[in-house]
Amino acid sequence: MILTKQLYILLMLSFVFASCKPTQTIEKQEQKNSKNAFLKDVKYNPKSIEHRQLNPKDLNLLKDYLITTFNKDLDSLNYLTISYLKPMSDCWYDSYNQINTLKSKLLFDDLKNQMNTDLLCAHYETKFASTYSNVDDKKLLYNLFSNGYKACDFTVTINKLGMYYFKAGHFEVDVANAFKNELDKNFPL
C-alpha cells in the first residue's frame, strides 16, 4: 500500500514535470498553417488570455524601447508578437536551461516561418546569453505585460495603436497568429 502511494506520487510528479519542461518554452508545433486562424479556431485556456490597451505614455515608452533595444519599429511592423521568459524566481522549474541550445535556435527559426507577425523572443535574466532570445535589460516588457500571472512565460501580440492580446503560459504559434487576426478584425489599423 505504501509502495503503491509512493509510486503513484512519483508518476504524478513525473507527469507534471514532463508536461511543463523547459524545452516546451518554444514548443515544436504541428506544421499546419494557422496564419489565418482566429481564437474560435484554436484550443486555449480562456482564463489565461486577456485583451488590453497600453496607455499612450506606456505605448511611447515601449516603441522607443523596442527600437533602441531590439531594433524593432512597431510603427513599421504594425504588429509584433513577443514571447517572454519571466524571471527564474517566478518559475517552479529551471526554465532557462534550454535558452542557448542549437535545438532551441532551430526551433525558433522554424516558428518564425509559421508566424503572421514578426516574432521577438525576450527574457528577464541578464546572466543568460542566447542566440535567439534577447535580454530585457530595463525589464520594461516584464513590467508592462507580466500581469501577475503565475506562469513561467507569456506571449503578447500588440499592434502599433497599443491594443494587445496576452496569454500566460507557453508560446503557441496558432494562438499568437489568432491574436494578430483578432486585433486586425476588431481594431483595424
Side-chain angles (χ1 to χ4, degrees), residues 83-117:
S83 175
Y84 194 89
L85 195 54
K86 292 172 63 176
M88 293 177 75
S89 61
D90 285 6
C91 191
W92 60 273
Y93 65 89
D94 182 4
S95 56
Y96 281 80
N97 80 349
Q98 297 289 318
I99 199 163
N100 198 27
T101 64
L102 178 58
K103 179 182 174 183
S104 294
K105 168 68 172 126
L106 294 173
L107 194 53
F108 173 72
D109 291 341
D110 183 50
L111 292 177
K112 283 178 67 172
N113 292 328
Q114 298 176 48
M115 298 290 300
N116 62 7
T117 66

Coordinates of all heavy atoms in Angstrom, one line a residue, residues 83-117:
S83 N 7.4 36.7 -27.3 CA 7.4 35.5 -26.4 C 8.4 35.8 -25.3 O 9.6 36.1 -25.6 CB 7.8 34.3 -27.2 OG 7.9 33.2 -26.4
Y84 N 7.9 35.8 -24.1 CA 8.8 36.3 -23.0 C 9.0 35.2 -21.9 O 8.0 34.6 -21.4 CB 8.1 37.5 -22.3 CG 9.0 38.3 -21.4 CD1 9.8 39.3 -21.9 CD2 9.1 38.0 -20.1 CE1 10.7 40.0 -21.1 CE2 9.9 38.7 -19.2 CZ 10.7 39.7 -19.8 OH 11.6 40.4 -18.9
L85 N 10.2 35.0 -21.5 CA 10.6 34.1 -20.4 C 10.8 35.0 -19.1 O 11.7 35.8 -19.1 CB 11.9 33.4 -20.8 CG 12.2 32.2 -20.0 CD1 11.1 31.1 -20.0 CD2 13.5 31.5 -20.6
K86 N 9.9 34.7 -18.2 CA 9.9 35.5 -16.9 C 11.1 35.2 -16.0 O 11.9 34.3 -16.3 CB 8.6 35.3 -16.2 CG 7.4 35.9 -17.0 CD 6.1 35.5 -16.4 CE 5.9 36.0 -15.0 NZ 4.6 35.7 -14.4
P87 N 11.3 35.9 -14.9 CA 12.4 35.6 -14.0 C 12.4 34.2 -13.5 O 11.3 33.6 -13.3 CB 12.2 36.6 -12.9 CG 11.3 37.7 -13.4 CD 10.5 37.0 -14.4
M88 N 13.5 33.7 -13.2 CA 13.6 32.3 -12.6 C 12.8 32.3 -11.3 O 12.2 31.2 -11.0 CB 15.1 31.9 -12.4 CG 15.8 31.8 -13.7 SD 17.6 31.4 -13.5 CE 17.4 29.7 -12.9
S89 N 12.8 33.3 -10.6 CA 12.1 33.4 -9.3 C 10.5 33.2 -9.5 O 9.8 32.9 -8.5 CB 12.4 34.6 -8.5 OG 12.0 35.8 -9.3
D90 N 10.0 33.5 -10.7 CA 8.6 33.4 -11.0 C 8.2 32.0 -11.4 O 7.1 31.7 -11.7 CB 8.2 34.3 -12.1 CG 8.1 35.8 -11.6 OD1 8.4 36.1 -10.5 OD2 7.7 36.6 -12.4
C91 N 9.2 31.1 -11.5 CA 9.0 29.8 -12.1 C 9.4 28.7 -11.2 O 10.4 28.8 -10.4 CB 9.8 29.7 -13.4 SG 9.4 28.2 -14.4
W92 N 8.7 27.6 -11.2 CA 9.0 26.5 -10.3 C 10.0 25.4 -10.9 O 10.3 24.5 -10.2 CB 7.6 25.8 -10.0 CG 6.9 25.2 -11.1 CD1 6.0 25.8 -11.9 CD2 7.0 23.9 -11.7 NE1 5.6 25.0 -12.9 CE2 6.2 23.8 -12.8 CE3 7.8 22.8 -11.3 CZ2 6.0 22.7 -13.5 CZ3 7.6 21.6 -12.1 CH2 6.8 21.6 -13.2
Y93 N 10.4 25.6 -12.1 CA 11.4 24.7 -12.7 C 12.5 25.6 -13.4 O 12.3 26.8 -13.5 CB 10.8 23.7 -13.6 CG 10.2 24.3 -14.9 CD1 11.0 24.6 -16.0 CD2 8.9 24.7 -14.9 CE1 10.5 25.1 -17.2 CE2 8.4 25.3 -16.1 CZ 9.1 25.5 -17.2 OH 8.6 26.1 -18.3
D94 N 13.6 25.0 -13.8 CA 14.7 25.7 -14.5 C 14.2 26.0 -15.9 O 14.5 25.3 -16.8 CB 16.0 24.9 -14.4 CG 17.1 25.6 -15.1 OD1 16.9 26.8 -15.5 OD2 18.2 25.0 -15.2
S95 N 13.6 27.1 -16.1 CA 13.0 27.5 -17.4 C 14.1 28.0 -18.3 O 13.8 28.2 -19.5 CB 11.9 28.6 -17.2 OG 12.5 29.7 -16.5
Y96 N 15.3 28.2 -17.8 CA 16.3 28.8 -18.7 C 17.3 27.7 -19.2 O 18.3 28.1 -19.9 CB 17.1 29.9 -17.9 CG 16.4 31.2 -17.9 CD1 15.3 31.4 -17.0 CD2 16.7 32.2 -18.7 CE1 14.7 32.6 -17.0 CE2 16.1 33.4 -18.7 CZ 15.1 33.6 -17.8 OH 14.4 34.8 -17.8
N97 N 17.2 26.5 -18.9 CA 18.2 25.5 -19.2 C 18.3 25.2 -20.7 O 19.3 24.6 -21.1 CB 18.1 24.2 -18.4 CG 17.0 23.3 -18.9 OD1 16.2 23.6 -19.8 ND2 17.0 22.1 -18.3
Q98 N 17.4 25.6 -21.5 CA 17.4 25.4 -23.0 C 17.7 26.7 -23.7 O 17.6 26.7 -25.0 CB 16.2 24.7 -23.4 CG 15.9 23.4 -22.9 CD 16.9 22.3 -23.4 OE1 17.1 22.3 -24.6 NE2 17.4 21.5 -22.6
I99 N 17.9 27.8 -23.0 CA 17.9 29.1 -23.7 C 19.0 29.3 -24.7 O 18.9 30.1 -25.6 CB 17.9 30.2 -22.7 CG1 17.5 31.5 -23.3 CG2 19.3 30.4 -22.0 CD1 17.1 32.6 -22.4
N100 N 20.1 28.6 -24.6 CA 21.2 28.8 -25.6 C 21.6 27.5 -26.2 O 22.8 27.2 -26.4 CB 22.4 29.4 -24.9 CG 23.3 30.0 -26.0 OD1 22.9 30.4 -27.1 ND2 24.6 30.1 -25.7
T101 N 20.6 26.7 -26.7 CA 20.9 25.4 -27.3 C 20.7 25.6 -28.8 O 19.8 26.4 -29.3 CB 20.1 24.3 -26.8 OG1 18.7 24.5 -27.1 CG2 20.3 24.1 -25.3
L102 N 21.4 24.8 -29.6 CA 21.1 24.8 -31.1 C 19.7 24.3 -31.4 O 19.1 24.9 -32.3 CB 22.2 23.9 -31.8 CG 22.0 23.8 -33.3 CD1 22.2 25.1 -33.9 CD2 23.1 22.8 -33.8
K103 N 19.2 23.4 -30.7 CA 17.9 22.9 -30.9 C 16.9 24.0 -30.7 O 16.0 24.2 -31.5 CB 17.6 21.7 -29.9 CG 16.2 21.2 -30.0 CD 15.9 20.1 -29.0 CE 14.5 19.6 -29.0 NZ 14.2 18.7 -28.0
S104 N 17.0 24.8 -29.7 CA 16.1 25.9 -29.5 C 16.2 27.0 -30.6 O 15.2 27.5 -31.0 CB 16.3 26.6 -28.1 OG 16.0 25.7 -27.1
K105 N 17.4 27.3 -31.0 CA 17.6 28.2 -32.1 C 16.9 27.7 -33.4 O 16.2 28.5 -34.1 CB 19.1 28.4 -32.3 CG 19.5 29.2 -33.6 CD 19.0 30.6 -33.6 CE 19.6 31.4 -34.8 NZ 18.6 32.1 -35.5
L106 N 17.1 26.5 -33.7 CA 16.5 25.9 -34.9 C 15.0 25.9 -34.8 O 14.3 26.2 -35.8 CB 17.0 24.5 -35.2 CG 18.5 24.4 -35.5 CD1 18.9 22.9 -35.6 CD2 18.8 25.1 -36.8
L107 N 14.5 25.6 -33.6 CA 13.0 25.7 -33.4 C 12.5 27.1 -33.5 O 11.4 27.3 -34.1 CB 12.8 25.1 -32.0 CG 11.3 24.7 -31.6 CD1 10.7 23.8 -32.7 CD2 11.3 24.1 -30.3
F108 N 13.2 28.0 -33.0 CA 12.8 29.4 -33.1 C 12.7 29.9 -34.6 O 11.8 30.5 -35.0 CB 13.8 30.3 -32.4 CG 13.6 31.8 -32.6 CD1 12.5 32.4 -32.0 CD2 14.4 32.6 -33.3 CE1 12.2 33.8 -32.2 CE2 14.2 33.9 -33.5 CZ 13.1 34.5 -33.0
D109 N 13.7 29.5 -35.4 CA 13.7 29.8 -36.8 C 12.5 29.2 -37.5 O 11.9 29.8 -38.3 CB 15.0 29.4 -37.5 CG 16.2 30.2 -37.0 OD1 16.0 31.3 -36.5 OD2 17.4 29.7 -37.2
D110 N 12.2 28.0 -37.1 CA 11.0 27.3 -37.7 C 9.7 28.0 -37.3 O 8.9 28.2 -38.2 CB 11.0 25.8 -37.2 CG 9.9 25.0 -37.9 OD1 9.7 25.1 -39.1 OD2 9.2 24.4 -37.1
L111 N 9.6 28.4 -36.1 CA 8.4 29.1 -35.6 C 8.2 30.4 -36.3 O 7.1 30.8 -36.7 CB 8.5 29.3 -34.1 CG 8.4 28.1 -33.2 CD1 8.5 28.5 -31.8 CD2 7.1 27.3 -33.5
K112 N 9.3 31.2 -36.5 CA 9.2 32.5 -37.2 C 8.6 32.3 -38.6 O 7.8 33.2 -39.1 CB 10.6 33.1 -37.4 CG 11.1 33.7 -36.1 CD 12.4 34.3 -36.2 CE 12.4 35.5 -37.1 NZ 13.7 36.2 -37.1
N113 N 8.9 31.2 -39.3 CA 8.3 30.9 -40.6 C 6.8 30.6 -40.5 O 6.1 30.8 -41.5 CB 9.0 29.8 -41.3 CG 10.4 30.2 -41.6 OD1 10.7 31.3 -41.9 ND2 11.3 29.2 -41.6
Q114 N 6.3 30.2 -39.4 CA 4.9 29.9 -39.2 C 4.0 31.1 -38.8 O 2.8 31.0 -38.7 CB 4.7 28.8 -38.2 CG 5.4 27.5 -38.6 CD 5.2 26.4 -37.6 OE1 4.1 26.2 -37.0 NE2 6.3 25.8 -37.2
M115 N 4.7 32.2 -38.4 CA 4.0 33.4 -37.8 C 3.5 34.3 -38.9 O 4.0 34.4 -40.0 CB 5.0 34.1 -37.0 CG 5.6 33.4 -35.8 SD 4.4 33.0 -34.5 CE 3.9 34.7 -34.1
N116 N 2.4 35.0 -38.5 CA 1.8 36.1 -39.3 C 2.2 37.5 -38.8 O 1.7 38.5 -39.3 CB 0.3 35.9 -39.5 CG -0.4 36.0 -38.2 OD1 0.1 36.4 -37.1 ND2 -1.7 35.8 -38.2
T117 N 3.1 37.5 -37.9 CA 3.7 38.8 -37.4 C 5.2 38.5 -37.2 O 5.7 37.4 -37.3 CB 3.1 39.2 -36.0 OG1 3.5 38.2 -35.0 CG2 1.6 39.3 -36.0

